[in-house]
Amino acid sequence: MGRTVSVTGMILTASPIKEYDRRIEILTRERGRISAFAQGARRANSTLSACTIPFTFGEFTLYEGRNSYNVQSAVIQKFFGDIAQDYDMTCYASYFAEMAQHFTRENMEASQELLLLYVTLLAMQSRRIPLPLIRVIYEMRLMMIEGQSLELFECLGCHKMNTRTVYFAAGGLVCEDCAGKEKELEKSYPFVLSKDALHSLQYILTAPLEKLYSFLVTEEVQKELEHFMKAYLGRYLPHQFKAAAFLE
């Protein structure tokens, strides 16, 4: 026999099935990423119509069957409707949702991933921070949550933090002195980080989620951070996200 369960989550994707139904993916705090069917959700008078739209956050009541979940009802707590009406924000939000899909699984708690996505969409909605910088922050923090973080607080060689540091795609930072002793390191992939860029990355890794999107950087530092993240993800996350093609 099935049972009814309640979960807190956000709709990542929604797709039509049959004539009037929808299949949705929800990133939930309690059960990770799950798929569910919403019967009749595409009917104009359906009570499930509004609560099965991407980027809707709330509490969902699901009927847990043997092989699938079915949406019975939902209480919407936050609807990011203005994001869905803006093309650029929709592209970025879809990319963030796709990254969350990649890392989360069913029956594996995803409270940190859910909260990160939520505060990220809030930051987008406020329009105070450029979207490319929001992308850097989201990517860096998500990689940390998933255990793919880099050592950015001390040199991997001497374990000291010098004013000038050099990043190598080998786990973290190496200072100039240590890099000079290991010529092979300089050939791997040297990446010199400015002081402001390094401090920004350190803040992203340590700030409480509610204060994560509370800073701005110069255009020069932002470009540096974007370049850094491209190299970082290229080495540690060799996955092609479909939505990323719309961000280039």
Side-chain angles (χ1 to χ4, degrees):
M1 292 289 293
R3 58 174 182 149
T4 299
V5 297
S6 293
V7 295
T8 299
M10 182 180 294
I11 306 293
L12 297 179
T13 62
S15 55
I17 59 171
K18 298 183 179 179
E19 188 173 1
Y20 294 109
D21 303 342
R22 279 194 185 121
R23 178 185 179 277
I24 59 174
E25 281 202 338
I26 317 173
L27 180 62
T28 72
R29 180 177 61 197
E30 302 86 354
R31 298 196 174 201
R33 174 171 54 85
I34 61 176
S35 298
F37 296 95
Q39 295 182 353
R42 295 165 61 210
R43 294 182 184 274
N45 59 350
S46 172
T47 58
L48 300 180
S49 179
C51 61
T52 54
I53 298 174
F55 317 130
T56 299
F57 179 86
E59 184 173 329
F60 299 84
T61 301
L62 310 173
Y63 177 78
E64 184 182 16
R66 179 177 298 179
N67 300 313
S68 65
Y69 292 94
N70 287 276
V71 183
Q72 290 191 331
S73 63
V75 177
I76 299 176
Q77 297 174 358
K78 181 69 175 177
F79 175 59
F80 295 92
D82 49 346
I83 289 180
Q85 294 172 7
D86 182 286
Y87 176 77
D88 289 336
M89 287 201 292
T90 297
C91 291
Y92 275 88
S94 297
Y95 171 68
F96 300 148
E98 190 177 352
M99 285 196 76
Q101 282 179 299
H102 175 76
F103 281 112
T104 53
R105 300 289 183 271
E106 186 173 343
N107 295 323
M108 294 181 64
E109 185 180 323
S111 57
Q112 287 297 301
E113 290 90 345
L114 176 62
L115 184 55
L116 175 61
L117 183 58
Y118 182 80
V119 299
T120 300
L121 296 190
L122 285 178
M124 292 174 61
Q125 195 174 50
S126 73
R127 299 175 185 267
R128 290 195 297 265
I129 301 177
L131 292 175
L133 179 58
I134 290 179
R135 176 182 179 178
V136 167
I137 296 171
Y138 178 84
E139 290 172 337
M140 191 73 187
R141 189 60 174 245
L142 183 61
M143 290 294 280
M144 186 196 78
I145 290 173
E146 304 305 332
Q148 298 288 330
S149 185
L150 298 174
E151 174 52 74
L152 296 179
F153 293 90
E154 64 179 30
C155 170
L156 293 174
C158 64
H159 302 292
K160 298 177 182 178
M161 176 52 75
N162 296 329
T163 302
R164 183 175 171 82
T165 53
V166 181
Y167 160 80
F168 290 92
L173 296 173
V174 179
C175 69
E176 277 189 306
D177 292 339
C178 291
K181 298 173 185 176
E182 298 287 343
K183 294 300 180 182
E184 289 302 316
L185 283 178
E186 292 182 333
K187 298 176 184 178
S188 342
Y189 188 84
F191 192 108
V192 179
L193 278 173
S194 70
K195 203 171 181 180
D196 288 341
L198 177 59
H199 287 168
S200 297
L201 293 172
Q202 291 172 337
Y203 181 84
I204 293 169
L205 293 179
T206 57
L209 282 176
E210 63 271 17
K211 296 182 179 180
L212 187 58
Y213 294 99
S214 61
F215 71 97
L216 293 169
V217 295
T218 64
E219 185 176 345
E220 182 181 2
V221 172
Q222 182 176 306
K223 292 296 183 184
E224 184 180 355
L225 291 171
E226 291 175 38
H227 184 38
F228 172 88
M229 286 306 302
K230 186 174 182 179
Y232 171 29
L233 295 182
R235 181 178 179 91
Y236 290 95
L237 186 57
H239 178 83
Q240 296 297 319
F241 293 100
K242 295 178 180 178
F246 296 94
L247 307 183
E248 301 302 329

